[in-house]
Amino acid sequence: MPGPEPNNELPDLPEAVAASRSRWRMQLVWLVPIVAVLIGGWLAVKAVLEQGTAITISFKTGEGLEAGKTKIRFKDVEIGIVEAVALSPDHSRVVAKAEISKDAAKLLVNNTRFWVVRPRISGGSVSGLSTLLSGSFIGMDVGNAVKARRDFVGLESPPVFPSDVPGREFILKGKDLGSLDTGSPVYFRRLQVGQVTAYDLDADGKGVTLRVFVNTPYDKFVEADTRFWQASGVDVSLDANGIRVDTQSLVSIMIGGIAFESSGGVFPPSVAAAHTQFTLYHDRAEAMKRHDRIVNTYIVDFTESVRGLAVGAPVDFRGIVVGEVTGIYTHFDPATRQFSIPVEINLYPERFTSRYKTGEKGGRLSDNPKQLADFLVERGLRVQLRTGSLLSGQLYLALDFFPGAQKAKVDWDTTPPELPSVPGKLQSLQDSVTSLVAKLNTIPFEGIGKDTRKTLQSANVLLTNLDTLIPQANDTLAAAHRALDSANAVLQPDSALQQNTADAVRELARTAAAFRALADYLDRHPEALIRGKLEDKP
């Protein structure tokens, strides 16, 4: 069957041409992984850019350290975390690997310090109580060094003060630590101005070295002549003013402390530089004792007992301490075959002068000390043992003049030279008692006793005779008593004797008046003795 005829009136259509597919054409389905890769790369780059600094901190123990949990804090701001905890190769310490944030990397310098913060009681203070709930963490203190560092040795205890606290550190040398500890307070006029930062035993084992930090502005009061002493416990002293109790504070009584004060001996005062070394004395009395530049050493020989005299006892000159005892020994003299007690003393000539007259420090009394010593000894200067306290029995040496002492000289041939001495007051009293006893022994007490016995026997006979005389004496006393009663009765105002006596006295008075009238008449008419009395005319 034939098909329809073509319509020549329709327009001609373009011929379809097959196009080839491009190799680089992006499919929409690939956009997701590409974006993921870009995000991952950005995160990786960001992680690399924000990655912190890795450090290692070694500790003696791993107490309080836990990988992934223990934080590192600086001024209570978290700046890092412990990533791993392991033993050191020699198994002697624990090494903590930590990462510090990039912003805090510049804080890792040569003297930066790390320590584990945990509950701790030290030096009278309590720290780390917040870790009871939050757990332990590593504390950090930034130093002032410039050189960077990545390996650190952790502290076993937290530092007493941060590095940025203003003030100065000083070194103290003492005989022993006493009751001091790290963190013990430092006082100035009973005000706490610092604390003990560290202590260590000296290499020779003969003392201890302490480091103390004094805060600003109190560090300016630490001068070149400042004296430091242990203010631990209670200092009780008994003197002429009574009992005196001295202590810094209740804290120093319990945990100890250090106090300091200027001696006032330097004009003008100068502020001590940081890390200046001072001596740590046992108490204030020892610290404030005058330390002299000139020292003369002598020996004083005693033959009496020196019980109660100790090394350090004062040498006193009329109430002023001018020296001290430095040694007590024994000596046997083969020539005399006797023992003596040599006592070594130090005398300080500066204490015999007055710097207040010239404003300068004192010196020697004379340019020729030997000549001066010989002159003073010739004038009676001697050393004597005296009792310093009746309660404790302590003795001291008195340097004074004794004009009546036997002649003596300084023995310059011995080393050190020997000063003459005189017996102490107690020894003199003992000698006097011994002499008195010797004299009493010469008294014939036996003969005196026999004579006394005979006298007592005679007295006994006399008493026996008196027993026979007593009745007669009683009768005599009774008669005398009666006579006294009679005399008393006679002497009464209303007795007859008293009346007669009064009449006689009146008659005597009239007679005397008549004689007086006669005398007056004869005085006027002496011729009456011859011619008689003339009659009066009417």
Side-chain angles (χ1 to χ4, degrees), residues 74 106-115 139-155 159 161-164 169 275:
F74 175 65
K106 60 183 178 180
L107 303 178
L108 303 173
V109 294
N110 197 32
N111 55 352
T112 297
R113 300 177 291 182
F114 294 90
W115 66 94
M140 174 180 171
D141 180 59
V142 180
N144 54 5
V146 178
K147 185 179 179 180
R149 185 176 178 179
R150 297 296 180 263
D151 298 326
F152 300 91
V153 177
L155 304 176
F161 62 94
S163 300
D164 56 354
E169 191 176 49
H275 304 290

Side-chain angles (χ1 to χ4, degrees), residues 447-463:
I448 294 175
K450 292 180 180 179
D451 295 340
T452 303
R453 189 178 299 108
K454 292 179 180 179
T455 302
L456 292 175
Q457 291 176 353
S458 300
N460 189 23
V461 173
L462 178 60
L463 291 175

Side-chain angles (χ1 to χ4, degrees), residues 193-214:
V193 298
Q195 53 275 326
V196 177
T197 60
Y199 61 86
D200 196 7
L201 183 67
D202 292 344
D204 57 2
K206 296 182 179 180
V208 294
T209 301
L210 298 91
R211 294 182 178 272
V212 298
F213 185 83
V214 180

Side-chain angles (χ1 to χ4, degrees), residues 409-420:
K409 294 183 179 180
V410 181
D411 188 358
W412 298 105
D413 297 332
T414 61
T415 303
E418 181 179 343
L419 291 176

Side-chain angles (χ1 to χ4, degrees), residues 362-375:
R364 296 183 182 273
L365 289 174
S366 172
D367 296 333
N368 192 340
K370 289 186 177 181
Q371 182 179 0
L372 178 62
D374 290 334
F375 172 76

